[in-house]
Amino acid sequence: MPQEERRHTQRRTVGKRARIQLDGIPGGLDCTIRNLSADGAKLELSGEHKLDKQVVIYFPTENIRIDASVIWQRDNHAGVAFARRLAWIAG
């Protein structure tokens, strides 16, 4: 049975580099954004790390930091919901 789709906006596949800012990891944790919408993203972490429920994601090419809630995490992947809509993605 297919899992119910709960996203409100369409995500697009990307390979964008980002960084998760975490306590105890100087400089943060590198990650790759695998899919992205104005409201959230699927992250691929550079290793298996347990994320806090609330994180800050830094997009270096846009020089943007955004608060996000970790919705799910499995192995080195995580799904996050952004605290505010990303206008540069929404178009």
Side-chain angles (χ1 to χ4, degrees), residues 24-80:
I25 300 180
L29 175 67
D30 289 330
C31 68
T32 302
I33 307 291
R34 289 296 169 201
N35 64 48
L36 179 67
S37 76
D39 299 313
K42 178 181 178 183
L43 312 177
E44 182 178 340
L45 310 178
S46 59
E48 289 190 32
H49 298 274
K50 176 71 175 137
L51 299 178
D52 296 332
K53 290 287 185 189
Q54 301 296 316
V55 296
V56 176
I57 300 174
Y58 173 60
F59 295 90
T61 55
E62 291 81 11
N63 196 28
I64 292 174
R65 286 176 174 76
I66 187 162
D67 294 328
S69 299
V70 177
I71 305 301
W72 62 267
Q73 184 174 1
R74 281 187 290 289
D75 302 322
N76 67 328
H77 291 91
V80 298

